Amino acid sequence: MESEIALAAADGLILRFDKTPHWRVEWKESDWLGPVGVAVHAQATAAGRPLRFVSRDFGGRDDLGEYSGLDLDWSPLPFALHTSARAYASRSLIVLRIAAPDGARNLASASFVQPSVAWTFHPSRRQIGGVPPGTTSYGHQYSEFALPVSSDANCAGFFFAPHRPSVVEPLLFIAPDGRTLLLAPLDGFHEQIISVPADAQHLDDGVRCGWHGDLADVPAGFATELALWAADSPRQALAGWAELLLQRYQTQRLTRYADDLVGKLSYWTDNGAVYYYRTEPGCDYATTLERVVEDMHERDVPIRSLQIDSWFYPHQNLRPVSTEGAPIVPPSGMMRWEPRDDLFPEGFGDLRKRVGGLALAFHSRHFSSASPYFKGRSAWCDGEYAHPADASLLEDLMAQAAAWGASTYEQDWMVESFLGVRGLRQAPGRARAWQESLDRAAGEHGMHLQWCMSTPADFFQSVTLRNLASIRTSGDYRYLFDNGLNWVWFLHTNALARSLGLNPYKDVFLSHGATSLSDGEAYAEVEALLAALSAGPVGIGDQIGHSNRDLILRCCREDGVLIKPDVPIAAIDRCFHANAFLHPVPLVGECHSLHPAGYWIYVAAFNACRDKQTMKVRVDLADLGTTRPMRRVVVYDWRRRSFELVDAAAGWDVELGFQDWDYRIVCPLLSGDMTVFGDVAKYAAAGDRRVARIRIAEGALHFQVRGAPQTCVEIHGYARRRPREVRRWVPDGTKILCEDNASQVDTWSWDASGRWIVRVDVATLGWADVTLLAAV
């Protein structure tokens, strides 16, 4: 071919066939990914150059917008394969498509990580100056909880979980100025992988995006699409790509308050909780749970649901229950999903009655191939594991859960189900059918789902589900690692979950110190903070008689309703350049509550680095992404109970020791030089289940206070000058709390620093409107 061909999307994103001659991806630099090619098994085209090249221009419009495209014909291939590229006029997006018009058989390669058919990129063979110096790569390993991993620009230095494959998706290339090129699937979420070099010795493998190596057969017309999305920052790239998925699949998400597990305080018995494979001395499990609930109620700790973990059903390798608990979590498969005879000889019977009628969540896991379920049912068996080959067993188990009084079915060990049973991977659509069957059956029985130990593919596939209420986004609490590693994991995987509209769950935590059955939690305040800012469930796992009620109530109201931000806390863009556990850089996360008056932004910073050295941290308001303030704000320092006025171009400094933390609330300075901090006894002080509809109207500051009926709520804020009047309104009338220089001392105060405090009785309705009239 003698001349160059270019396919251009918005903002200068270009797929170009140049004079070298190779296909390359340009975006304000000449070569983001190195030579682009196609490979079938080991039959790659030479350095991505087609041995026989024919292109056909086409154009049109689809659900993503108006595009121009090229059909590409590569070297002779062992079966009919159609590849094409589309570039979108209104989006910085190029879509690469692979299709098998006649289908294909016996595709499987040597391993899952070796795609049978793939687009290939070789970042190590970029042209000089192809990307800016200091460019890095980032993504989520194909592992439980989608482990966040980082590397250099050549993708050869990822710090992987060694027991999981060297597959990273989505894969982001991030320039020092934040500009990001993202590679991620648009469909075929369990059929496509992005395979990267396992280590520096495998650098020549490059990046291979295509059909994983265990996919054996595909039907006629099978096709997959890969997105190349360019954006100004990592978080914007994730959000833009995820928006496409949510739009394409018309995703309908459950709310942050969909049920009692996700919307109210819960009690958990999973790994990390005190009563995981452990009972109170002299008690059986049912009695232990009964006493837990009685103790919580006596202490006014308002739990509203109870999780029953994997200890309740028999595994292939049965583990004993004792007062010592269980130190390890082996992956042995489930034999039967029913109460163990040695723990519940009469079945669950009146369990829900004994625990006060609380909503129940039941844990489940992957199946053992020795399970009696598969003596009369179709299944794929693979060594010690098996998986149902149709939906009938899953439907039966969901009906069973409903009969037990379940509100939530927790599907755990999802990675083990998929990677542990080859039959689930051998043909397209099987994993999707499994997850959609669970989703459909849960909906039919009035239940919701929680995913646990999910791979990135499970996150992506969630766009077709309607009953997934929450998803775990970090490793097990206090299991194998320092707290700090899980904080890094949590904030980064939350960025993925947040972009997809999912409600993350941090995992259980302990609110207390050392006890007779536990060594307690030294970082309980941080664990509670992260749980509250997750926008998902908040679950405690305390020993009877030891719960720290004051700490727990920083997450919720007296009636158990969680006080949340609108979106999950997630790592800010600058954190994507280096892993804050592996490198001495701060971990900073943000989330927000949106009111008519603007964004109230919650900003938490941590020293999570494994070197355990003190760290100086700078947080600039400009770092806060798309919700960053454009004008002066009031920054409330939650730990020190102080505040300061800060210009939009400024920020703050703090020094943090190992696993120390800083937490601030950025509040807009409104007309009349006033603002609301919120209920500063809570982490999400301006969350909409405590403070709602903050706005300025007719020279006055208005907001609604919400709480458990017949409680009094204290709200803090700032006013440069003393407000001339403060009113509380409920349907039975208006009450003046402050007028000119007179006020009811027990309900209102203002001092020379500008801090005001109003104490609001929400009466029997659980809400009251408050108005502050600005000084004149």
Side-chain angles (χ1 to χ4, degrees), residues 698-709:
E698 298 178 352
L701 174 62
H702 303 265
F703 56 92
Q704 186 175 91
V705 179
R706 297 174 175 177

Side-chain angles (χ1 to χ4, degrees), residues 611-641:
D611 69 8
K612 302 185 179 181
Q613 300 299 307
T614 297
M615 182 184 298
K616 292 183 178 179
V617 178
R618 171 72 180 178
V619 178
D620 286 309
L621 293 173
D623 291 338
L624 301 183
T626 56
T627 61
R628 66 188 182 279
M630 295 292 108
R631 55 181 62 88
R632 206 174 198 202
V633 295
V634 185
V635 176
Y636 184 82
D637 186 330
W638 193 91
R639 295 192 73 183
R640 296 164 185 83
R641 304 295 173 182

